[in-house]
Amino acid sequence: KPPSLPVFCIFQLLAFIMSIVWIYMLANIIVDILVLCGMLTGINTAILGLTVLSWGNSVGDAFASMSISKKGFGEMAITGCVAGPVFNLMLGLGLITVKCNLILPDGIEFSKTDSTGMLTLSIILASILILSTLSWLIVSNKFKLVDWHAKMLILLYSAVILLIACLSI
């Protein structure tokens, strides 16, 4: 005999909450492993986050976008490529900012005079530059993306990674 509807709804809600707890715990473990790798290799954790963590986080989205694009829904794939990271940035940064401002009485202090602050500022400015470049390319080419746009964005991303790597040394 199947469970009653209220019991079934409670189990679904508890399963959802447990999946969030598992994702939270695994994300913390992944970050701890990256910090450990940074300590062992001497590589700045910001560089590891900007490369290894972000690449690993984007692999699923990349395969989904390629699959959607192959089925003829290129607009949906492009929207997913841009909207996913923007959502992550807005929600993730928003939640972190709210949490830190609740814990710290004076809020989050950001210093652009030390190396960590300059690295953070460089990453923010690079994100704005890449998104602005993508927007300009799309609008200037009458909303059509061609292969040289991809090459230009990959080159820009590589230049940003090199710049940030040089700043973190």
Side-chain angles (χ1 to χ4, degrees):
K1 177 182 169 189
S4 65
L5 185 60
V7 171
F8 188 70
C9 288
I10 290 171
F11 276 122
Q12 283 183 329
L13 180 64
L14 290 174
F16 177 73
I17 291 170
M18 185 52 71
S19 68
I20 291 173
V21 169
W22 272 102
I23 290 170
Y24 175 77
M25 289 181 353
L26 290 173
N28 281 329
I29 291 170
I30 290 170
V31 169
D32 290 342
I33 289 171
L34 274 179
V35 169
L36 178 64
C37 288
M39 292 167 131
L40 293 175
T41 61
I43 299 173
N44 191 324
T45 54
I47 295 295
L48 288 173
L50 194 61
T51 54
V52 177
L53 185 64
S54 65
W55 294 339
N57 189 31
S58 300
V59 167
D61 293 340
F63 283 120
S65 294
M66 285 188 284
S67 174
I68 290 169
S69 181
K70 286 179 183 177
K71 292 186 179 191
F73 300 107
E75 292 176 5
M76 187 187 301
I78 292 169
T79 303
C81 287
V82 174
V86 168
F87 174 77
N88 288 336
L89 181 67
M90 299 299 179
L91 184 68
L93 191 59
L95 290 175
I96 290 168
T97 304
V98 168
K99 180 181 177 185
C100 288
N101 281 313
L102 289 174
I103 294 171
L104 303 172
D106 296 332
I108 301 170
E109 190 170 327
F110 179 75
S111 172
K112 57 184 189 256
T113 57
D114 64 348
S115 62
T116 305
M118 283 304 294
L119 191 63
T120 304
L121 183 62
S122 300
I123 292 170
I124 292 169
L125 292 175
S127 299
I128 292 169
L129 174 69
I130 291 174
L131 186 59
S132 300
T133 303
L134 176 62
S135 300
W136 175 76
L137 286 173
I138 291 172
V139 171
S140 67
N141 202 30
K142 299 179 183 170
F143 295 92
K144 292 184 181 180
L145 290 174
V146 291
D147 62 343
W148 70 269
H149 291 154
K151 293 173 186 172
M152 184 175 174
L153 288 169
I154 291 170
L155 183 67
L156 186 59
Y157 176 75
S158 301
V160 164
I161 293 291
L162 282 173
L163 172 74
I164 291 171
C166 290
L167 284 175
S168 67
I169 293 176

